[in-house]
Amino acid sequence: MSDATTTPASVAGAGLVKRDIGIKRRYAAERRFRAYGLIAIALGLLFLMLLLGTVISKGYTAFRQTAINIPVTFSKDIIDPKNERADNPKLLMTANYPVLARNGLIEELGIDPKDKKAVRAVGKMISGGSRTRLRNMVVANPSLIGKTVPVWLLASGDIDSALKGQIDLSVDEKRRKVSDQQVAWMDQLVRDGTMVKKFNTGLFTFGASSRPETAGVGVAIIGSLYMMGIVLVLALPIGVAASIYLEEFAPKNRWTDLIEVNINNLAAVPSIVFGLLGLAVFINFAGMPRSASLVGGLVLTLMTLPTIIIATRAALKAVPPSIRSAALGLGASRTQMVFHHVLPLAAPGVLTGTIIGLAQALGETAPLLLIGMVAFVVGYPASPLDPATALPVQIFMWANEAERAFVERTSGAIIILLAFLAVMNITAILLRRRFERRW
Amino acid sequence: MRLFFTSIFLPSGARQMSAASTLLIIVCLAAAGYVVGRLRAAALVSTQGLKSHSRSGYYGIFVLIWTALPSLAVLAIWLAVSPLIINDQVFNSLPQSIQSISEADQSLQLNKINAIATGLARLTADEHAAALSGSVDLRALLGEKGIAVAGEIDAYMPEAAGRLNAYRATSSTMRTVVVVLLGIGGFVWAWLQIKPRMRARNRVETVILGALMLASSIAILTTVGIVMSMISETWRFFSSVPPLEFFFGTVWDPRFAAAGEAASAGQFGLIPLLAGTLYIAVVAMLVAVPIGLYAAIYMSEYASSRMRSIVKPLLEVLAGIPTIVYGFFALTTVGPFLRDISARINEMATGDVASFIQAQSVLTAGFVMGIMLVPFVSSLSDDIITAVPQSMRDGSLGLGATHSETVRRVIFPAALPGIVGALLLTASRAIGETMIVVLAAGVAARLSINPFEPMTTVTVKIVNQLTGDLEFTSPQTLVAFALGITLFVITLGLNFYALYIVRKYREEYE
C-alpha cells in the first residue's frame, strides 16, 4: 500500500514498457475464438433456415390446386348410346367420361370439334382423375344424364405447374410438357375466370396416384394415425410400468442392471434394425400381413419404448423422497405410495416424454420400408390389418418421382408432417411449462 | 406357422366372432366380479361387525383378477397353439405325395387349403355339399364369394379344407367352453375366499408387481428378439455364402436370380459397403464436430442466458426434423447445388463445363448428415462442458488466463473424455442413419476415395434387398440380415464404449 503513495506514475510506466506479455496477441486470440463460436452457431441456424426455407418455398404452392369450371353435358349419346343402363349395371362404370369433360372444355374455349389435334391437346389439360369424379356423380344420380351441369374439375398436373409458373416457358416448345397453344388457352380460361387456383383439399384426402394432381396424403395420414394409436396404447402403459418397476421397486441386482443396460442400448440402436426385427418376428415368424399398420405400430412401439422409459424415469426421479416418506409414514403400502402419490405428481413429465416419443415415431421411415409399407395404396385402410402407408413413407415414395409437380407435392407433404410434429412438440413444451413443479 | 395369425384375425365368419365374444364374456364377468367382490366385502364387514384387512375395493379387484387372468391366459395360449396343432393334423392327413415335397411348396399347398377353407365357410349348406362332392367348379364358386385361390385346386384339397374347418369349429367350441368355465371357476373361487381376515391388498399388489416386472423385461425380450432373429437368418445366409466371402469380399453384386432359379448366386462382399458407410460417416463428422463443438463452447461459456434460451431450442429443432426431410433436402437442393457449383468452378479453371461433383455423392450425403448431427454434438457437449466444476474456471481465470485460454487449456481437457464419448455416440448415429443415404448417397457399391462420386452404405443395401417382392429362402434377401447384424454389432460396440467413457468421466467430478 505504501508504494502507491510514492511516484506511482514512473513505476507503473516502467513496468508496462519492459514486460511484453503478449496481451494484444492474446486478446486477438480471444476475439477470434469467440468469433468461431458465433460463426458455428450462425452456421447451425443458417442450415435450419435453409432447410425450412427450401421446403416451404417449394411446397407452399402444393396447397393450392388449379381447377377448371367446365359446363359438362352428360350426353346420353356418349354415356349410354343404346339406352341399356337399366339392364347393364356396369355400363355407368365404364362409360367414356373424359370425353364429356373434354367436350365441355372445347365448347368453353370455342374450338372446332373436328380439329383432332386441338381436341387432343385440350383433353390433356384436364386431369385423368375427372373420370372418377364424373362417374361418381352419374352413378350417385343417374338423372344427370342429358343435363348440363357446371363442374369444377382438376386441371392436369402440367397445366397446374404451368399456371404456378414452375415450367420455364422460354424453353423451346418441344422440350416442355405444355405447348404454346395450351398456354394460350390457359391464359384465356384464367381471364374468363373459369380456371382458378383453389385450396387443395385433395392433398389431404386422396390416396396414392401416378398423376400428381390426384395424389394425396389422405391414406398415409390414416395409416400414420393407426400406428400412433397402437404406439400410444402399447408403449405408454408398458413404458410407465417398466419405469415404475425400475425406479421404485427393483432391487439392485444383476437382472435390473441388465435391464438398464439394455434400455440404454436399445435407445441407440439404429432404427432400421427394428425394421429387420419386425420383418423377421412379426411378419416371417408370426405370419402377420405385410404393409399393415399393425406391424408398423408394433415396430414403432418397440422403438419408442426406451424413449418413454427414460423420460418417465426422469419424471419419477424428480418427485422428492419426502413425498414417498410421508405416504409410507401414514401407512400406505409401497404400491399405494406409487400409484396414489408419486405417479400423479410425475404425470406431466410422463406425458411430455410420451408425446416426444410419439413425435419421434411419427417421423420414422426406415423400419417401415422393410415391413412393406412402401405400397401403392389407393383406398383408405378400414382396419390396422389392411395395407396402408405412412406419412414419411409417402414422402419417400414421392421424393423418387421425377415430375416437377411431385416435388411440389413432396414438399407439401413434408410441411404437413412438420406441422404435425410442431404441434406435438409445442404441446409437450406447453404441458411442461404449465404443470412442471419445482420442489 | 404362417397360418397362425391369419386364423386369429382375418375375417372368416364365425371363428373370429367367437374369440371376440369369448373375450367380451370374460370382460363382463370380470366387471361383475369386481362389483360382487366389493359388495360382499362390505356386507361381511357390516353383518359380522369385523374390520376387514383391506379396503373393500381390493376384494373387488381380487375377484376381477382371478376371473380374468387365468381365463385370458388360457385364451391367448389356445389362440397361439391350436392353429399349429390343427395344421399339423390336417397336414398329416394329406396324401403321401404332398408330405414329401419341399418345405416352400408345402406352405404353398397349405395356404391354398387355408384359402379354400375360408371360402367353404362362406358357402351355404347346399353349395357346401355340392363343393365337397366335386359336382361344381369350386374355383369359380369361391371366386364369387370373394376368395381367389391361386393355382390349381387339387382333388384332395376340398376334403382337407373341410377337415380343417371341422377341426377349427371343434377347437373354437372347446376353447369357448374351457375359457368361460375357467372364468366362472376363478370367479367363484375368489368369491369364496373373501373373508374379513383375508389379505386382499397384499395379494393384489403381488399381481401388480408381477405385471410391472413383466413390462420391464420387454426391453430384454426386444434385444433377445433382435439378436435371435438376425442370427437365425444370418445362419441361413451363411449356409449358402461362406462367411469369409461375406466379410472380406470386395465385390458387391447380388444378382437377383430369376424366379425359381437358384443358379446365379452373385457376390456378397461387405467391404465396399462398409467403406462407403465409414467414409460418409467421416465426412458427416467433419461437418458436425467443429460446428457442434464451437457452438457448444460458445453457448456454455460465452452466451447470455437470454441468447441461450433462444438459440438452444432452435438448434434442437434440427434434431427433431425427420431424417426423410434431410434426405429430400439433399436430393433436391444440396446435390444439384454442389453439382452446379462444381460445373461453374470447372468452367472457370479449365473452360470445361462438366461438373466433377455428382448430385448423389459421398459429399452430398455426408454434408447433409453432418447438419443433422450438429445438434447431437452440441447438446451432448454442452452438458459435459457445463458439468466441469466452476472452481476450475475460477482458478484459471484467477491466474490471469483469458477466457479462451481457460476454455482451451483447462475446460476442454477436463471435458475431453466426455466429449469423446459424445462423439462416439454421434458416430454410431451416423453409421446407422438410413434415409439420408438412401436418397443422397447412391446405390453403386464400389471402393473409391473420391468423395465426389456416389458410394453406398450398409443401410442402403438393407433397404434395397428388402423392398419389393421377397423370398425368404434366397441369399439375396437373407444377406440383409447379415448386414443388419454387422450394423448392430458395430453400433452396439460404439455405444458401449461411449457409455463406459461417459460414466467413468462423470465419476471423476462427483
Side-chain angles (χ1 to χ4, degrees):
Chain A
M1 279 305 273
S2 57
D3 284 354
T5 54
T6 58
T7 58
S10 63
V11 174
L16 272 183
V17 170
K18 273 183 191 152
R19 290 191 55 216
D20 176 20
I21 51 171
I23 223 59
K24 261 191 182 163
R25 184 177 46 77
R26 288 169 61 198
Y27 277 176
E30 169 76 27
R31 278 194 297 276
R32 268 203 309 279
F33 192 75
R34 289 184 80 147
Y36 293 151
L38 274 177
I39 290 170
I41 290 178
L43 275 178
L45 296 182
L46 178 76
F47 291 148
L48 178 65
M49 297 303 147
L50 263 181
L51 186 66
L52 296 180
T54 40
V55 167
I56 290 172
S57 69
K58 276 184 183 159
Y60 76 96
T61 48
F63 292 93
R64 298 178 56 82
Q65 188 72 27
T66 311
I68 317 174
N69 192 2
I70 303 175
V72 178
T73 308
F74 291 93
S75 151
K76 193 170 143 293
D77 296 338
I78 295 174
I79 300 178
D80 188 8
K82 292 180 196 146
N83 203 11
E84 54 188 8
R85 60 177 178 269
D87 314 322
N88 186 357
K90 280 186 185 161
L91 185 86
L92 289 184
M93 301 302 285
T94 52
N96 195 356
Y97 291 105
V99 170
L100 296 179
R102 194 178 70 191
N103 290 349
L105 190 56
I106 288 173
E107 210 167 294
E108 184 77 25
L109 288 166
I111 295 167
D112 180 12
K114 291 196 183 72
D115 184 353
K116 284 271 162 56
K117 209 175 147 200
V119 167
R120 211 174 306 130
V122 168
K124 283 200 180 134
M125 291 178 71
I126 307 168
S127 163
S130 61
R131 178 193 298 274
T132 339
R133 175 80 200 284
L134 296 176
R135 180 177 67 205
N136 291 346
M137 284 176 75
V138 172
V139 169
N141 182 10
S143 67
L144 276 176
I145 295 175
K147 290 182 191 156
T148 302
V149 188
V151 186
W152 282 102
L153 289 175
L154 291 178
S156 71
D158 292 331
I159 294 294
D160 182 51
S161 299
L163 189 67
K164 286 171 180 166
Q166 291 160 351
I167 291 181
D168 187 0
L169 294 178
S170 61
V171 179
D172 182 51
E173 189 181 3
K174 293 204 179 65
R175 290 173 55 195
R176 57 179 141 91
K177 287 186 170 168
V178 283
S179 66
D180 288 339
Q181 181 68 72
Q182 282 175 323
V183 172
W185 286 330
M186 187 180 88
D187 290 339
Q188 183 189 339
L189 288 172
V190 171
R191 243 177 289 123
D192 297 347
T194 32
M195 183 188 270
V196 289
K197 283 189 275 184
K198 294 179 135 191
F199 181 72
N200 190 358
T201 45
L203 182 62
F204 297 92
T205 54
F206 290 140
S209 170
S210 53
R211 296 183 212 99
E213 70 275 9
T214 53
V217 292
V219 171
I221 288 180
I222 298 295
S224 277
L225 285 182
Y226 275 138
M227 287 194 280
M228 291 303 101
I230 292 166
V231 172
L232 190 64
V233 165
L234 290 178
L236 181 61
I238 296 177
V240 170
S243 327
I244 288 177
Y245 179 73
L246 291 174
E247 205 55 49
E248 306 285 340
F249 291 100
K252 266 273 156 220
N253 59 21
R254 290 194 143 193
W255 179 248
T256 37
D257 272 355
L258 186 68
I259 294 179
E260 298 234 3
V261 171
N262 252 305
I263 290 173
N264 283 333
N265 271 314
L266 282 181
V269 166
S271 59
I272 195 165
V273 171
F274 285 96
L276 286 171
L277 170 77
L279 182 62
V281 173
F282 297 130
I283 293 179
N284 219 9
F285 180 71
M288 298 191 196
R290 268 171 72 80
S291 313
S293 16
L294 176 68
V295 183
L298 290 176
V299 169
L300 292 180
T301 299
L302 294 180
M303 216 192 74
T304 4
L305 260 182
T307 315
I308 294 183
I309 291 180
I310 290 169
T312 307
R313 291 188 66 178
L316 290 174
K317 227 179 251 169
V319 176
S322 57
I323 304 275
R324 295 183 180 83
S325 313
L328 292 177
L330 286 174
S333 69
R334 280 172 76 89
T335 318
Q336 286 171 327
M337 176 264 282
V338 171
F339 285 96
H340 296 178
H341 301 283
V342 179
L343 193 57
L345 288 173
V350 175
L351 219 55
T352 313
T354 309
I355 294 175
I356 289 172
L358 275 181
Q360 189 192 339
L362 179 61
E364 197 53 67
T365 324
L368 302 182
L369 299 184
L370 300 195
I371 56 167
M373 299 203 74
V374 212
F376 193 85
V377 186
V378 180
Y380 285 96
S383 76
L385 287 166
D386 292 334
T389 178
L391 201 44
V393 180
Q394 187 69 66
I395 293 171
F396 169 69
M397 287 191 277
W398 281 351
N400 287 321
E401 300 271 355
E403 277 178 75
R404 178 64 185 82
F406 266 115
V407 174
E408 176 194 278
R409 295 257 150 177
T410 317
S411 307
I414 289 177
I415 294 175
I416 296 173
L417 177 63
L418 290 181
F420 272 117
L421 293 179
V423 167
M424 290 168 90
N425 281 302
I426 289 171
T427 314
I429 291 169
L430 289 182
L431 271 179
R432 189 159 23 187
R433 287 251 172 91
R434 174 77 182 73
F435 293 107
E436 193 180 44
R437 282 175 92 154
R438 293 246 165 243
W439 302 94
Chain B
M1 214 27 134
R2 267 191 166 278
L3 302 180
F4 141 55
F5 187 77
T6 345
S7 58
I8 304 176
F9 287 99
L10 292 189
S12 48
R15 264 179 305 111
Q16 191 202 18
M17 278 305 295
S18 159
S21 54
T22 315
L23 190 70
L24 196 68
I25 292 174
I26 294 299
V27 168
C28 293
L29 210 56
Y34 174 74
V35 176
V36 169
R38 205 183 155 138
L39 289 179
R40 179 171 161 89
L44 281 180
V45 170
S46 61
T47 53
Q48 299 184 0
L50 290 167
K51 200 171 173 309
S52 66
H53 170 267
S54 313
R55 301 184 62 187
S56 53
Y58 281 104
Y59 293 93
I61 299 177
F62 177 72
V63 179
L64 183 146
I65 288 174
W66 270 101
T67 313
L69 215 54
S71 53
L72 291 186
V74 168
L75 181 65
I77 294 172
W78 197 298
L79 284 175
V81 174
S82 71
L84 298 181
I85 298 174
I86 292 176
N87 280 337
D88 204 42
Q89 292 281 332
V90 171
F91 183 69
N92 285 336
S93 72
L94 295 183
Q96 205 62 43
S97 58
I98 303 297
Q99 294 194 28
S100 55
I101 57 177
S102 78
E103 205 173 305
D105 287 340
Q106 277 176 7
S107 87
L108 210 67
Q109 306 288 334
L110 280 176
N111 275 340
K112 242 190 264 179
I113 293 175
N114 199 36
I116 298 172
T118 316
L120 283 179
R122 293 190 194 176
L123 300 178
T124 60
D126 292 344
E127 287 171 329
H128 194 263
L132 283 187
S133 67
S135 60
V136 289
D137 182 10
L138 187 57
R139 206 182 147 80
L141 194 59
L142 293 182
E144 251 169 58
K145 303 283 168 186
I147 302 283
V149 182
E152 283 302 301
I153 296 178
D154 296 327
Y156 70 90
M157 282 184 178
E159 194 202 337
R163 208 174 303 129
L164 184 62
N165 274 348
Y167 285 143
R168 279 184 184 167
T170 321
S171 158
S172 99
T173 321
M174 273 167 66
R175 183 184 65 211
T176 312
V177 169
V178 167
V179 168
V180 171
L181 277 183
L182 208 59
I184 294 174
F187 184 109
V188 171
W189 186 81
W191 191 72
L192 289 175
Q193 290 281 306
I194 296 177
K195 296 181 185 81
R197 305 301 303 271
M198 202 265 290
R199 301 177 168 226
R201 198 200 69 223
N202 303 36
R203 295 207 189 177
V204 169
E205 285 179 355
T206 316
V207 175
I208 292 179
L209 191 62
L212 296 183
M213 280 174 77
L214 202 67
S216 70
S217 45
I218 295 263
I220 300 232
L221 279 180
T222 311
T223 311
V224 170
I226 290 177
V227 172
M228 293 295 285
S229 63
M230 295 225 274
I231 285 183
S232 71
E233 306 287 333
T234 308
W235 196 256
R236 283 167 65 191
F237 171 68
F238 282 148
S239 67
S240 54
V241 176
L244 278 182
E245 247 173 59
F246 173 68
F247 285 114
F248 299 103
T250 54
V251 178
W252 173 268
D253 182 22
R255 268 162 283 150
F256 274 98
E261 207 182 301
S264 57
Q267 281 177 288
F268 302 90
L270 176 68
I271 300 287
L273 309 186
L274 211 53
T277 307
L278 295 179
Y279 201 172
I280 291 174
V282 165
V283 173
M285 295 300 277
L286 284 179
V287 175
V289 171
I291 297 180
L293 260 182
Y294 269 110
I297 289 172
Y298 192 89
M299 218 101 81
S300 56
E301 294 293 324
Y302 292 102
S304 62
S305 65
R306 201 182 137 78
M307 179 177 176
R308 234 177 112 88
S309 68
I310 297 171
V311 173
K312 210 171 147 94
L314 275 180
L315 277 185
E316 271 160 18
V317 168
L318 276 177
I321 292 176
T323 53
I324 177 75
V325 180
Y326 285 100
F328 176 73
F329 180 59
L331 183 73
T332 58
T333 309
V334 178
F337 172 75
L338 289 177
R339 187 192 56 208
D340 295 345
I341 209 161
S342 73
R344 192 67 61 78
I345 290 170
N346 203 10
E347 190 183 4
M348 280 198 287
T350 61
D352 181 11
V353 285
S355 59
F356 55 90
I357 304 181
Q358 297 185 28
Q360 284 193 327
S361 67
V362 171
L363 186 65
T364 311
F367 177 73
V368 174
M369 198 191 282
I371 297 177
M372 183 196 85
L373 295 177
V374 165
F376 288 100
V377 177
S378 76
S379 62
L380 284 172
S381 321
D382 193 353
D383 292 347
I384 292 157
I385 291 169
T386 317
V388 174
Q390 184 62 29
S391 57
M392 294 180 77
R393 275 183 202 94
D394 295 345
S396 168
L397 291 172
L399 286 172
T402 65
H403 206 146
S404 65
E405 285 162 351
T406 307
V407 170
R408 271 182 296 184
R409 307 226 174 121
V410 178
I411 297 175
F412 189 70
L416 191 60
I419 289 176
V420 170
L423 296 188
L424 286 179
L425 280 180
T426 315
S428 107
R429 215 162 249 279
I431 288 171
E433 172 48 43
T434 310
M435 292 324 292
I436 295 177
V437 283
V438 164
L439 286 173
V443 289
R446 57 170 154 207
L447 280 166
S448 142
I449 51 160
N450 184 354
F452 303 141
E453 283 183 355
M455 265 172 110
T456 197
T457 70
V458 174
T459 48
V460 172
K461 284 302 162 196
I462 294 178
V463 171
N464 278 357
Q465 299 303 106
L466 287 181
T467 39
D469 284 331
L470 301 187
E471 241 190 303
F472 274 98
T473 45
S474 69
Q476 279 81 1
T477 308
L478 293 175
V479 69
F481 290 92
L483 292 174
I485 203 162
T486 315
L487 191 68
F488 183 69
V489 168
I490 293 175
T491 51
L492 200 68
L494 278 175
N495 293 336
F496 261 125
Y497 190 56
L499 286 177
Y500 166 76
I501 290 181
V502 170
R503 198 167 293 170
K504 195 177 158 196
Y505 157 77
R506 216 176 262 155
E507 280 160 8
E508 272 174 32
Y509 290 113
E510 269 169 9

